[in-house]
C-alpha cells in the first residue's frame, strides 16, 4: 500500500493539478475525500487550521500548498522531472503566476451566473450561498475581479499561452513541467466543470490541444480511505526526521518558538505550532493533536506569513 495520501475533492482545481502530477510520475496514492467548505474537523486535526485543498499526507507529515507538494513529489520520484534543466527559474515563476493571477482570473470568470448555476444546479438548497460565504471568509480582503474584467484578462492570458505553445508541445519546451500543471488546473475547471462558459477556450485551439496532452496523464487512485483512518495513520506514525538544512532566519524568530503560519491572501486560517525548521524553501511546525498525535506541518516560504505567537 502506498504511503501517499491525498486529501481532496473531485472538483477542486488545485487537487486536479496534483492528481495530474501523480499520474505524470506514475506514483500510486490513497484518496481521502474532504468537504469543499468548512467545517473540516478532520483536515484541521492534521493541519491545525490550514484548510485549503488539497493536502498531502505521508504518515505524520502534512504538506500544505501545491507548490510544496510538487517539490515533495519531485524529491520522491525525480524522473520524469517537473523542472526543465535549462529553465528551472522560468518554470517556477510561470507556475506561481498560474497559481495566483491566472487562477484568480479564471475563477472570477467561471463563477459568473451561468457557470454558478451549472456548478450548483444539483446541490442541496443553500449550498451555493454557503460556498460563497466560505470562500469570502477565506479570501479576507483580497479583491475579486468583476466578470467583465475577468473575461477580458482571461482571453488575453489564453492568447499568451497559445503563443507559448506555437512551436513546442508544452509551455517551457517539449516535456511538461511545473508550469504546465499549474496552468492546466484552472483551465480544466472551465472546460470540465462549467462547460456552459467553456466557449472562451475555442479561440485558442492550440491551448485546447495542449490541454488534451495534459489530460492524457491519467491515473486512478490506488485506494480510498476514510478521513478518520488517515488520522489514525498519522497517530501511529512518527514524523520523518528533518533534513540537515541551513536555518534561514529572516524574521528574528529562533527555532523552538511558538509561531503561527498562514497564507498571504487567500486561506487566512493560521496553523500554530513549534517552529522546528525554516529553510530556504519551506517552514515546518511541530504540533500535537488529540486525535492525530504529533505531526509536522510543512509550508512553502513563498506565499506564507510567519509570526511569533
Amino acid at each position: 500500500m502506498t504511503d501517499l495520501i491525498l486529501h481532496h475533492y473531485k472538483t477542486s482545481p488545485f487537487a486536479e493539478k496534483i492528481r495530474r502530477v501523480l499520474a505524470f510520475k506514475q506514483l500510486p496514492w490513497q484518496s481521502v475525500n474532504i468537504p469543499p467548505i468548512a467545517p473540516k474537523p478532520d483536515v484541521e486535526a492534521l493541519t491545525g487550521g490550514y484548510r485549503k485543498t488539497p493536502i498531502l499526507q505521508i504518515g505524520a507529515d502534512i504538506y500544505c500548498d501545491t507548490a510544496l507538494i510538487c517539490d515533495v513529489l519531485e524529491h520522491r520520484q525525480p524522473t520524469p522531472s517537473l523542472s526543465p534543466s535549462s529553465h528551472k527559474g522560468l518554470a517556477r515563476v510561470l507556475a506561481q503566476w498560474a497559481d495566483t493571477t491566472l487562477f484568480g482570473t479564471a475563477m472570477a470568470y467561471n463563477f459568473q451566473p451561468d457557470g454558478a448555476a451549472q456548478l450548483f444546479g444539483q446541490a442541496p438548497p443553500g449550498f451555493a450561498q454557503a460556498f460563497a460565504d466560505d470562500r469570502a471568509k477565506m479570501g479576507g480582503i483580497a479583491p475579486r475581479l468583476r466578470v467583465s474584467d475577468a473575461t477580458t484578462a482571461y482571453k488575453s492570458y489564453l492568447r499568451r499561452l497559445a503563443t507559448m505553445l506555437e512551436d513546442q508541445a508544452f509551455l517551457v519546451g517539449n516535456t511538461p513541467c511545473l508550469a504546465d500543471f499549474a496552468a492546466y488546473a484552472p483551465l480544466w475547471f472551465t472546460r470540465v466543470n462549467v462547460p456552459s462558459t467553456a466557449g472562451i477556450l475555442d479561440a485558442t485551439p492550440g491551448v485546447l490541444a495542449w490541454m488534451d496532452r495534459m489530460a492524457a496523464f491519467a491515473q486512478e487512485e490506488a485506494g480510498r480511505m476514510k478521513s478518520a483512518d488517515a488520522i489514525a495513520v498519522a497517530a501511529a506514525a512518527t514524523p520523518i526526521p528533518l533534513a540537515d538544512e541551513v536555518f534561514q532566519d529572516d524574521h528574528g524568530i529562533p527555532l523552538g518558538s511558538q509561531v503561527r503560519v498562514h497564507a498571504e491572501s487567500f486561506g487566512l486560517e493560521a496553523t500554530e505550532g513549534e517552529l522546528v525548521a525554516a529553510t530556504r524553501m519551506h517552514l515546518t511546525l511541530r504540533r500535537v493533536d488529540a486525535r492525530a498525535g504529533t505531526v509536522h506541518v510543512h509550508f512553502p516560504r513563498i506565499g506564507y506569513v510567519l509570526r511569533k505567537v
Side-chain angles (χ1 to χ4, degrees):
M1 181 181 293
T2 177
D3 59 349
L4 299 176
I5 303 172
L6 186 69
H7 299 249
H8 66 126
Y9 61 89
K10 182 178 179 181
T11 58
S12 163
F14 280 109
E16 177 67 6
K17 172 185 173 182
I18 297 304
R19 291 189 294 256
R20 295 295 170 184
V21 170
L22 288 162
F24 172 64
K25 288 185 169 290
Q26 290 293 291
L27 285 167
W29 53 284
Q30 296 285 322
S31 173
V32 174
N33 188 60
I34 62 175
I37 62 174
K40 300 184 180 183
D42 289 349
V43 170
E44 293 178 24
L46 295 170
T47 67
Y50 178 93
R51 63 179 184 87
K52 293 198 290 184
T53 304
I55 60 171
L56 178 70
Q57 176 186 353
I58 304 176
D61 286 85
I62 312 301
Y63 300 93
C64 303
D65 196 281
T66 58
L68 176 59
I69 292 171
C70 285
D71 286 345
V72 171
L73 297 179
E74 182 81 344
H75 181 75
R76 167 64 67 97
Q77 186 154 298
T79 55
S81 177
L82 293 171
S83 297
S85 58
S86 59
H87 295 92
K88 289 183 179 180
L90 175 61
R92 284 191 176 274
V93 170
L94 186 54
Q96 186 181 1
W97 165 81
D99 283 343
T100 53
T101 302
L102 177 61
F103 173 82
T105 300
M107 291 302 111
Y109 171 83
N110 291 331
F111 279 90
Q112 62 183 277
D114 284 351
Q118 190 161 42
L119 279 167
F120 301 121
Q122 303 300 318
F127 181 80
Q129 186 59 53
F131 184 92
D133 293 344
D134 181 80
R135 292 307 188 265
K137 181 180 179 181
M138 291 182 72
I141 60 173
R144 181 168 178 174
L145 286 171
R146 296 180 303 171
V147 172
S148 55
D149 295 324
T151 301
T152 299
Y154 201 9
K155 289 177 179 178
S156 285
Y157 295 151
L158 289 170
R159 289 193 298 268
R160 293 173 190 180
L161 292 173
T163 299
M164 298 172 70
L165 293 163
E166 285 178 353
D167 300 317
Q168 55 194 28
F170 297 98
L171 295 179
V172 188
N174 288 313
T175 56
C177 69
L178 286 169
D180 292 280
F181 293 98
Y184 174 76
L187 276 60
W188 164 85
F189 190 93
T190 303
R191 194 182 198 185
V192 173
N193 293 307
V194 285
S196 63
T197 62
I200 195 170
L201 301 170
D202 293 340
T204 50
V207 170
L208 286 171
W210 163 77
M211 292 183 70
D212 290 340
R213 290 192 288 274
M214 294 300 296
F217 300 114
Q219 174 183 261
E220 294 296 324
E221 67 268 23
R224 297 181 181 181
M225 300 177 67
K226 295 180 179 180
S227 56
D229 293 333
I231 292 172
V233 168
T238 301
I240 300 167
L242 294 167
D244 186 19
E245 296 184 65
V246 175
F247 171 49
Q248 181 168 311
D249 181 15
D250 295 328
H251 297 76
I253 302 175
L255 295 179
S257 300
Q258 286 295 309
V259 298
R260 290 190 182 97
V261 173
H262 65 80
E264 287 178 355
S265 56
F266 186 77
L268 303 180
E269 295 82 4
T271 292
E272 184 173 322
E274 178 192 354
L275 183 67
V276 292
T279 72
R280 183 172 56 88
M281 296 290 290
H282 69 271
L283 303 165
T284 300
L285 276 58
R286 178 187 290 124
R287 53 178 304 276
V288 179
D289 180 83
R291 299 168 63 199
T294 299
V295 296
H296 282 177
V297 187
H298 307 269
F299 297 90
R301 294 199 78 144
I302 292 177
Y304 287 81
V305 175
L306 171 67
R307 299 188 186 281
K308 194 171 183 179
V309 174

